[in-house]
Amino acid sequence: MAETSVAVTASASSGTKSCSRGSSTPADNYYLARRRTLQVVVSSLLTEAGFESSEKAAVETLTEMLQSYLSEIGRSAKSYCEHTARTQPTLPDIVVTLIEMGFNIDTLPAYAKRSQRMVITAPPVTNHPVTPKALSAGQNKPHPAHIPSHLPEFPDPHTYIKTPTCREPMVGYQVLREKAASQRRDVERALTRFMAKTGETQSLFKDDTSTFPLIAARPQSIPYLNALLPSELELQQVEETDSSEQDEQTDTENLSMHMQADESAEKENSVLQQNSLKCGEETLIDNPYLRPVKKPKLRRKK
C-alpha cells in the first residue's frame, strides 16, 4: 500500500512539473483542474481541523496523499467490477475496496453528519466546442432496444445510403430542342467574341470601344463574285447526283457479272446432269450432300 502511494505521488509530482512548464493539452488542463479541486478539499479539511494557516509544501503533500488514496480506491473498485463481468462499478465494489484497505465503514454516517463540515460548490460546467464533422450528412440512427448503449454509434448515413452519381438522360423532345438551341446560341456567341477579339472591330460609341464591339465588315474586291459562284446547297446536290450515278453504274456492272456467272453455272449443272443421266438410274445419288451445287439467282434491283 505504501509503495503504491509513493509511486502515485512520484508520478503526480512529475506530472505537475511537466504541466507547470507550459504544456496546454486537454489532458494537462484536466489534470490541473482536478489538482486544484483536491487542494480546495485539503484546505477545507484543514480549516475544519482548526488550522488557521499552512505551508505550501504541507498542502501539496496532503494533496498527493489524497490523490493517491482516491486513485487506489478507483483501481480496486474497477478490478472488482471486472472480476464480476460488469462494466460499471457499484456501491458494493466501493465497500469491499474500503474494507480491504482497512477503513472502518461504520464511522462514515457519523462523519457525514458532522456539524462543522464545509460545503464546496461545484465548479461551473463548461461546454466543449463541438467540432463539426467533415462528411456529416443527416442524423445518426439511434441504437435499437436489443443493442446496449455502451456500444459505438452507427456511422453517418452517407456511408450506407445509396446515392446516385449520375443523372437520368433527358428524353423529352422539348427539353432536347431547348438544350440544342442553347448550345447553338452559346457556340455562336463564343465565335463572335473570338472573332471580335482576334480581328478588326468597330464600336458604336467613339469614346468607349470595348462596350459594344462589332466585327468590321471587309469589302470584297469583286462584289458580284458571290452571285456567280454556286452556293453550298447546290454543290451538295451536285455531289449527291454524281454519287448516285456512280452507284447505278456499279450496280449494273455487278448485275452483268452475276448474270454471266449464273449462266456458266447453269451450263455446268446441265452438263453434270446429262453425265449423271448417261451413267444410268443405278448410279443416281440419293445423298443431298453429294449432289452438284446450285447457285441462287440474283434478283435485279428495281
Side-chain angles (χ1 to χ4, degrees), residues 128-134 136:
H128 296 283
V130 179
T131 56
K133 295 182 180 179
S136 61

Side-chain angles (χ1 to χ4, degrees), residues 17 63 104 132 141-142 167 179 209 291:
K17 291 179 181 178
T63 304
N104 189 6
K141 185 179 179 182
R167 297 181 180 178
K179 188 175 181 181
T209 58
R291 291 176 185 175

Side-chain angles (χ1 to χ4, degrees), residues 37 51-52 60 76 80 82 85 112 115 120 126 153 159 217 221 225 228 239-240 244 283-284 300:
T37 305
F51 292 95
E52 296 181 355
E60 289 291 338
S76 300
Y80 284 119
E82 293 176 351
S115 59
I120 302 172
T126 57
E153 298 179 354
T159 58
S221 58
L225 185 61
L228 298 176
E239 290 177 357
E240 289 178 355
S244 62
T283 60
L284 184 65
R300 295 181 180 180

Side-chain angles (χ1 to χ4, degrees), residues 112-156:
K113 295 178 181 179
R114 65 189 185 278
S115 59
Q116 70 276 11
R117 65 175 182 175
M118 298 180 62
V119 179
I120 302 172
T121 58
V125 179
T126 57
N127 297 326
H128 296 283
V130 179
T131 56
K133 295 182 180 179
L135 296 176
S136 61
Q139 296 180 356
N140 294 341
K141 185 179 179 182
H143 286 299
H146 62 277
I147 297 179
S149 59
H150 64 272
L151 293 176
E153 298 179 354
F154 283 101
D156 293 337

Side-chain angles (χ1 to χ4, degrees), residues 76-90 93:
S76 300
K78 182 182 177 183
S79 62
Y80 284 119
C81 175
E82 293 176 351
H83 181 69
T84 55
R86 285 183 286 107
T87 57
Q88 293 181 355
T90 57
D93 298 331

Side-chain angles (χ1 to χ4, degrees), residues 8 24 35 54 99 161 187 195 203 208 216 224 300:
V8 174
S24 61
R35 185 78 174 182
S54 62
I99 292 172
I161 290 178
V187 170
M195 293 177 66
S203 59
D208 191 359
Y224 56 87
R300 295 181 180 180

Side-chain angles (χ1 to χ4, degrees), residues 242-281:
D242 294 341
S243 61
S244 62
E245 291 176 358
Q246 291 179 1
D247 293 338
E248 290 178 356
Q249 291 179 1
T250 53
D251 290 339
T252 53
E253 291 176 359
N254 291 332
L255 285 173
S256 61
M257 291 174 64
H258 286 300
M259 290 174 64
Q260 292 176 2
D262 292 339
E263 291 175 357
S264 61
E266 288 178 356
K267 289 180 181 180
E268 291 177 359
N269 291 332
S270 63
V271 171
L272 291 173
Q273 288 176 1
Q274 290 176 3
N275 293 331
S276 63
L277 290 172
K278 289 179 182 179
C279 292
E281 294 179 357

Side-chain angles (χ1 to χ4, degrees), residues 1-38:
M1 181 65 188
E3 293 177 357
T4 55
S5 62
V6 171
V8 174
T9 304
S11 63
S13 61
S14 62
T16 52
K17 291 179 181 178
S18 62
C19 291
S20 60
R21 288 178 182 176
S23 58
S24 61
T25 59
D28 296 338
N29 294 333
Y30 175 74
Y31 178 80
L32 289 174
R34 185 180 59 183
R35 185 78 174 182
R36 290 171 184 171
T37 305
L38 291 177

